[in-house]
């Protein structure tokens, strides 16, 4: 399986390179290494140099937004790490776990492909707020589930949670920041989600050993709900660049 996956990845990278060159020609952008270096050098000279401390001072609300993101992604990491224990708690098995994770992965794809069309009609702020609410509803539905079928139903929220949240967050950062800042904004967002995943794995394992899957789900629901509330309130105050 690993060898097949790596082969598919290699083929995908080759296709990506080919399409990238075509896109550069269509947009009149440089595709040679020398041209890229010249364009990047000119862009860097025009941009204001900003360190991390300056970035945080200038984007305090964005820092609070990412604290909310950490809470929201806590439950997502719990699902990814402890799905087997969650389904076993309600009578499921490893086969159910595999199917549920497959459903989760599949449901993420359509909203990502259709994001641009949706974004033309709905702002990133509203899409992100919708995603935060649906993250909470997904973990809540799984928490009160008394059968494996209900866990399947909970994963339907993946369409409007992770599938919408990820591309909306990327676009939102570009909308509220200058180009130089946006790079650090994307990096901070990535760091926060990674730290949330590590924290959820460590803490989730302890809670699972001490209190079981039910307690883990309720605690995850509370953390995700608190993160979603903070996120929705703070993001409303963040101004979008004209």
């Amino acid at each position: 399986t690993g060898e097949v996956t790596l082969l598919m990845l290699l083929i995908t990278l080759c296709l990506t390179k080919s399409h990238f060159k075509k896109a550069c020609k269509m947009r009149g952008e440089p595709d040679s290494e020398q041209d890229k270096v010249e364009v990047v050098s000119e862009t860097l000279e025009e941009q204001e140099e900003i360190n991390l401390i300056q970035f945080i001072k200038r984007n305090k609300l964005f820092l609070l937004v990412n604290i909310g993101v950490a809470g929201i992604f806590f439950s997502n990491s719990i699902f990814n790490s402890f799905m087997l224990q969650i389904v076993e708690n309600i009578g499921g098995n490893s086969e159910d776990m595999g199917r549920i994770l497959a459903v989760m992965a599949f449901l993420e794809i359509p909203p990502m492909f259709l994001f641009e069309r949706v974004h033309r009609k709905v702002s990133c702020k509203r899409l992100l707020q919708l995603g935060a609410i649906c993250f909470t509803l997904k973990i809540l539905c799984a928490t009160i589930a008394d059968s494996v079928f209900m866990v399947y139903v909970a994963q339907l929220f993946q369409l409007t949670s992770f599938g919408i949240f990820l591309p909306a967050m990327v676009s939102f950062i570009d909308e509220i920041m200058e180009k130089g800042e946006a790079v650090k904004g994307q990096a901070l967002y990535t760091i926060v989600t990674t730290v949330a995943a590590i924290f959820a794995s460590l803490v989730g394992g302890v809670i699972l050993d001490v209190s079981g899957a039910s307690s883990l789900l309720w605690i995850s629901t509370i953390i995700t709900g608190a993160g979603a509330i903070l996120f929705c309130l703070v993001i409303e105050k963040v101004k979008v660049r004209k």
Side-chain angles (χ1 to χ4, degrees), residues 19 32 56 65 95 130 157 183 212 226 231:
H19 285 291
S32 69
I56 293 174
V65 165
E95 183 178 357
L130 173 64
F157 287 106
V183 175
F231 181 87

Side-chain angles (χ1 to χ4, degrees), residues 208-236:
L208 195 64
D209 288 338
V210 174
S211 303
S214 296
S215 297
L216 175 61
L217 286 170
W218 277 113
I219 292 172
S220 299
T221 302
I222 294 171
I223 293 175
T224 300
I229 292 172
L230 175 63
F231 181 87
C232 290
L233 292 176
V234 176
I235 201 173
E236 196 65 40

Side-chain angles (χ1 to χ4, degrees), residues 79 81-89 92-95 97:
F79 274 128
S81 300
F82 305 108
M83 182 60 76
L84 179 60
Q85 289 79 5
I86 291 171
V87 296
E88 284 181 341
N89 188 54
N93 52 36
S94 57
E95 183 178 357
M97 178 202 72

Side-chain angles (χ1 to χ4, degrees), residues 15-67:
L15 292 173
T16 301
K17 181 180 179 181
S18 174
H19 285 291
F20 176 73
K21 286 188 174 181
K22 290 179 182 178
C24 286
K25 290 179 180 178
M26 290 177 63
R27 297 182 60 182
E29 293 182 359
D31 57 355
S32 69
E33 291 302 321
Q34 183 60 35
D35 290 341
K36 288 177 186 176
V37 170
E38 291 176 0
V39 171
V40 170
S41 299
E42 292 174 2
T43 304
L44 289 175
E45 288 176 1
E46 295 173 357
Q47 290 179 358
E48 177 186 359
E49 188 174 342
I50 176 174
N51 58 38
L52 183 59
I53 296 176
Q54 290 175 324
F55 172 80
I56 293 174
K57 287 181 178 179
R58 291 170 57 170
N59 299 277
K60 294 177 182 177
L61 287 177
F62 183 70
L63 182 62
L64 290 176
V65 165
N66 276 280
I67 293 175

Side-chain angles (χ1 to χ4, degrees), residues 123-144:
S123 68
C124 281
K125 279 188 179 182
R126 296 293 171 260
L127 291 174
L128 287 169
Q129 289 172 332
L130 173 64
I133 293 170
C134 288
F135 267 112
T136 306
L137 292 175
K138 184 175 75 170
I139 186 67
L140 178 61
C141 189
T143 300
I144 62 177

